[in-house]
Amino acid sequence: MMARGDDTVHEDAKTAPPSKKRKATTKKEAGAPAKKRGRPSKAAAAAAAPEDDDAEEPAEDAPVTTKKRGRPAKGAASKSPVAGEGKAAPKKRGRPPKGGETTKSHADEEAAEEQLEEELLDSNDAEGAEIGEPAPPPSSSNSKRYWLMKAEQEDREERAHNGTVINTKFTIDDLRSKTTAPELWDGVRNHVAAKNMRAMRKGELAFFYASGGKQGRTPGIVGIMEVVSEAEHDVTTADEGAYGYVGEEGKRGQWCVVGVEFRKKLSKPVSLKELQQHRGAGEALEKMQLFKQSRLSVAEVSAAEWDFIMEQLVEGYE
């Protein structure tokens, strides 16, 4: 009996007659093997190589790997031995799925840009900004700034939180009638507009802009008013009977009011269409915030824009 890895042969093995299988093997060994043409296989070359006693024998269960020819498959270099692990996701061609990062909105481009700009400004503006924070630097070399503030010029009824019906109409004549106390400009619920109000200082002037126009009235600048008191908390946020009621108590502190007083009423309003005629490239009102963010109820007006409107477009006062 021959043990695995043992070179010693026992005596019984020498005298015992060979089996048929042994004879067949001996006969095959006795005959000269047929010579094959071409390059010998790598397995044959390895078998013919002299055995190195110092070489480490591979484990019996070690996998036999063969080298494949040709260009390796993509991702093969980082492929894990575990099936499916580390496999790169296949790259898809063609249009990305709807809602992806490159999905293009089909809405009006100008409105989309305005919305994006407002969202960016809102994210930079602290949600619970305190009243009396430092004002941002002026947009021009003139330290005095000007503003444009919109009010509804037509009858429009809104229902308050407690069910009260409110008419939101407020005209330049309504402002002129306020002679005993400044008019508190409340109900502003836009972050950019509120930020503009917090930047206002006493003595600064603002255009009174009449919005609307559904009943044949033309929207535009109808008068001038002055800021007489700076930003303070808007108490209508907690009034369920007010149009500007805010249900979430934690968000009420971010809204403010300023006090304004009537100064002049234009004998002829400066209409929105007339203002738009000067908003082209290189013109005086090209960068006016009224056009860049048209939904703002309180917008900044640069000194150059104010002077142009007053000198070129305003015809006189009542």
Side-chain angles (χ1 to χ4, degrees), residues 3-312:
R4 183 181 297 175
D6 191 355
D7 295 332
T8 306
V9 180
H10 294 278
E11 290 297 327
D12 296 340
K14 293 181 180 180
T15 57
S19 62
K20 292 182 180 181
K21 186 176 181 180
R22 181 81 173 182
K23 288 180 180 179
T25 305
T26 305
K27 184 177 181 180
K28 183 177 180 181
E29 291 175 352
K35 186 175 181 181
K36 297 182 180 180
R37 296 183 180 182
R39 187 168 62 182
S41 64
K42 291 184 179 180
E51 183 178 357
D52 187 358
D53 295 335
D54 296 333
E56 183 179 355
E57 295 183 0
E60 292 181 4
D61 57 350
V64 179
T65 59
T66 57
K67 185 177 180 181
K68 297 182 179 181
R69 297 182 181 181
R71 187 168 62 180
K74 293 182 179 179
S78 59
K79 186 176 181 181
S80 172
V82 180
E85 184 175 333
K87 186 176 181 181
K91 186 176 180 180
K92 297 182 179 180
R93 297 182 180 179
R95 181 183 302 173
K98 291 182 179 180
E101 295 180 356
T102 59
T103 300
K104 183 177 180 181
S105 173
H106 297 287
D108 180 74
E109 292 184 359
E110 184 177 356
E113 291 176 1
E114 290 171 2
Q115 181 179 356
L116 177 59
E117 187 174 359
E118 286 187 17
E119 290 174 353
L120 291 174
L121 288 171
D122 289 351
S123 65
N124 294 331
D125 187 20
E127 186 174 358
E130 296 294 333
I131 304 301
E133 66 178 4
S139 58
S140 66
S141 58
N142 188 348
S143 59
K144 189 174 182 179
R145 284 179 292 186
Y146 301 90
W147 309 94
L148 182 147
M149 305 172 76
K150 296 180 181 179
E152 182 64 51
Q153 64 173 326
E154 298 174 349
D155 290 312
R156 190 182 68 174
E157 294 184 346
E158 296 287 347
R159 189 171 297 276
H161 183 73
N162 64 359
T164 304
V165 177
I166 303 170
N167 191 334
T168 61
K169 178 181 178 180
F170 187 77
T171 68
I172 186 68
D173 292 323
D174 293 328
L175 178 64
R176 179 161 51 181
S177 66
K178 302 282 185 177
T179 57
T180 58
E183 173 68 15
L184 296 180
W185 205 268
D186 56 19
V188 174
R189 297 297 179 264
N190 176 281
H191 286 287
V192 181
K195 185 175 183 179
N196 284 338
M197 292 173 66
R198 289 194 294 271
M200 292 178 179
R201 295 295 176 259
K202 288 179 64 175
E204 294 179 344
L205 299 177
F207 287 129
F208 188 110
Y209 184 96
S211 61
K214 294 181 180 179
Q215 298 178 10
R217 297 183 180 90
T218 302
I221 299 170
V222 296
I224 298 173
M225 52 191 178
E226 181 180 344
V227 178
V228 295
S229 64
E230 297 178 6
E232 60 185 77
H233 175 60
D234 185 353
V235 297
T236 64
T237 57
D239 183 0
E240 294 188 3
Y243 175 66
Y245 172 73
V246 177
E248 191 170 346
E249 185 177 356
K251 293 185 177 181
R252 293 172 183 171
Q254 60 187 306
W255 306 117
C256 63
V257 297
V258 295
V260 297
E261 288 183 354
F262 171 87
R263 289 296 175 261
K264 296 178 180 180
K265 180 180 178 179
L266 304 187
S267 57
K268 179 179 180 298
V270 179
S271 69
L272 174 61
K273 290 183 179 180
E274 191 173 359
L275 293 171
Q276 289 175 329
Q277 293 175 3
H278 305 280
R279 64 173 295 189
E283 296 195 56
L285 306 182
E286 175 189 2
K287 298 180 180 180
M288 195 171 184
Q289 193 174 33
L290 172 66
F291 303 129
K292 297 296 182 181
Q293 294 173 270
S294 59
R295 292 171 294 168
L296 284 182
S297 62
V298 180
E300 183 177 1
V301 179
S302 71
E305 293 164 351
W306 180 275
D307 292 341
F308 175 81
I309 293 172
M310 294 293 292
E311 296 171 5
Q312 303 296 325

